[in-house]
Amino acid sequence: MVGHKHRRPYIIHYLHPLDFAHLELSAWHYQKPYVSPEHYHGIPLLNRFLCGKLLTHLQSPRLDIVPHQPSILPNLPHSHVANSTASWSLSFYPQPLLNYRRRSTAGTTPAFPFINTLGFISYLTSTLLFYASPLIRQQYADRNPSAPNPTVRFNDVVFTVHAVIISSFTWSMFSPRIWGFSQSSQGVPKVIWGIAIGCILSTFILVAFVASTPGGGYDSASWAWIDVAYGISYLKLLITVIKYIPQAYTNYQMKSTKGWSIGQILLDLIGGVLSVAQVVLDSMLEGDWSGVTGNPVKFGLGNVSVVFDGVFMLQHYVLYRKRGDGTGYEEAEAGWAGEDDERRRLLDHRD
């Protein structure tokens, strides 16, 4: 268009003491408070109408026009969301694929997928409450007026549903009746069973307590239903701290990480780092750190995962680098193989 080489896009800000909304508009404006009709030449009719309506108020003290400065920062959290979700989702597959390829769960403990499934069920429950419950979202806004929207996103819901399904699938591989894989002699420790039962009972106790308060759980300033959602999410954080310990101890006993997939650890590490980065960037861009304090589980999960991933990487790449030298594992594997051979001989003899 002739005569419009100096055109610049502008952001038009409507300043209000309680609200700061902005509308991005590409206006053919020459940094003057008035645009004459001839300057509209070549502009589409709808844009002409919008420009005319908006630019007639340029003398208003409540209107400020500043040059638009494009920024990539608002797009960064979205990329971190996609990458962390993809990494964490993919981290569930290396272990069951390894179990299936070996036709064995030897070298791994059933305590990990068992308590992991319970943890993701609790995480799914709290995620759905913060994402879809109008009551919980309203109570969150009452307690966090400067950042009223929870940092729970749709990708969190999809991820937790997927996590529950794959974790349950991996746990089922420890059942000889379903898969017929060779198993380790260890089962789920009584301590893990006790923690699982305690988590379930504590949830019912918390629900009963909140329901018995004077406000019945609807007063945001007191004990409310949002505290139940927080309590359920804290169970996931507790389980995340505990679930890695049995496997790390098993690796220590066997002096080997054979049977334990390092691929899931590397993907889990990437997901944890990106998840923490997502929460930090969301809070930074909103100018309010209640996104961290208001969603401590999501922030804590990433940090706890990174710590334990470092432990497993130390075991795999440094302490037990020559996995074939792990006499504990070799003896255990020989014992399991002997039991399988004896079982086959008895079946053949009976036939």
Side-chain angles (χ1 to χ4, degrees):
M1 258 183 289
V2 179
H4 292 279
K5 63 179 180 179
H6 300 294
R7 61 182 182 270
R8 299 177 65 187
Y10 284 81
I11 293 180
I12 298 180
H13 296 280
Y14 293 109
L15 307 179
H16 190 279
L18 296 179
D19 185 36
F20 190 76
H22 59 83
L23 173 65
E24 181 173 345
L25 176 68
S26 293
W28 307 118
H29 179 52
Y30 292 93
Q31 301 181 9
K32 298 178 182 179
Y34 174 75
V35 178
S36 59
E38 60 266 25
H39 290 154
Y40 290 135
H41 176 70
I43 304 178
L45 180 61
L46 179 59
N47 287 351
R48 237 180 291 173
F49 172 77
L50 293 175
C51 292
K53 288 293 184 182
L54 291 172
L55 297 177
T56 53
H57 299 283
L58 289 175
Q59 300 295 337
S60 172
R62 297 178 60 189
L63 187 65
D64 182 31
I65 296 184
V66 295
H68 174 51
Q69 301 294 335
S71 174
I72 63 171
L73 282 178
N75 296 323
L76 287 179
H78 300 290
S79 64
H80 284 297
V81 168
N83 292 331
S84 63
T85 303
S87 298
W88 264 344
S89 298
L90 290 174
S91 70
F92 289 96
Y93 289 92
Q95 189 61 56
L97 290 174
L98 179 62
N99 294 343
Y100 182 79
R101 189 174 69 248
R102 297 171 63 233
R103 296 295 191 274
S104 172
T105 58
T108 61
T109 170
F112 179 81
F114 165 72
I115 200 70
N116 201 30
T117 301
L118 178 61
F120 277 114
I121 289 175
S122 65
Y123 192 35
L124 173 61
T125 303
S126 64
T127 300
L128 287 174
L129 289 174
F130 278 105
Y131 181 78
S133 171
L135 174 62
I136 300 300
R137 294 180 68 88
Q138 180 59 50
Q139 291 180 347
Y140 182 92
D142 294 340
R143 294 187 178 184
N144 302 275
S146 58
N149 295 319
T151 54
V152 175
R153 303 176 182 276
F154 180 71
N155 72 284
D156 296 315
V157 177
V158 175
F159 167 75
T160 49
V161 171
H162 171 265
V164 170
I165 295 174
I166 303 300
S167 296
S168 303
F169 177 79
T170 304
W171 183 29
S172 72
M173 289 185 160
F174 287 85
S175 174
R177 294 183 179 180
I178 299 177
W179 295 93
F181 293 168
S182 60
Q183 309 289 323
S184 62
S185 58
Q186 59 180 334
V188 178
K190 293 181 180 179
V191 175
I192 300 299
W193 277 108
I195 293 173
I197 295 173
C199 290
I200 297 173
L201 290 178
S202 63
T203 302
F204 284 107
I205 292 173
L206 181 59
V207 170
F209 173 76
V210 172
S212 64
T213 57
Y218 294 95
D219 184 7
S220 301
S222 180
W223 284 92
W225 292 115
I226 190 175
D227 296 307
V228 175
Y230 276 129
I232 296 174
S233 65
Y234 290 146
L235 294 180
K236 170 56 180 169
L237 186 58
L238 172 65
I239 289 173
T240 299
V241 174
I242 296 171
K243 70 179 184 179
Y244 293 105
I245 297 177
Q247 185 61 51
Y249 183 68
T250 298
N251 295 344
Y252 167 75
Q253 281 185 314
M254 295 180 175
K255 301 297 185 291
S256 171
T257 58
K258 188 174 182 179
W260 177 247
S261 174
I262 193 62
Q264 66 178 334
I265 299 303
L266 298 177
L267 289 169
D268 189 62
L269 175 64
I270 296 173
V273 171
L274 293 178
S275 177
V276 172
Q278 176 207 334
V279 176
V280 171
L281 281 174
D282 279 342
S283 300
M284 182 180 68
L285 292 174
E286 290 182 8
D288 191 287
W289 292 96
S290 60
V292 175
T293 58
N295 191 6
V297 173
K298 187 174 183 179
F299 187 72
L301 286 177
N303 286 286
V304 172
S305 298
V306 169
V307 171
F308 276 98
D309 291 338
V311 172
F312 286 119
M313 292 173 66
L314 180 66
Q315 288 181 329
H316 185 81
Y317 292 111
V318 180
L319 298 179
Y320 317 129
R321 185 175 180 179
K322 297 180 180 180
R323 294 186 292 176
D325 295 340
T327 55
Y329 177 82
E330 302 298 336
E331 292 173 359
E333 188 177 39
W336 299 324
E339 292 177 3
D340 291 341
D341 292 341
E342 181 65 22
R343 189 181 301 111
R344 292 192 189 95
R345 283 197 296 270
L346 290 175
L347 291 174
D348 293 341
H349 178 72
R350 190 171 65 178
D351 292 340

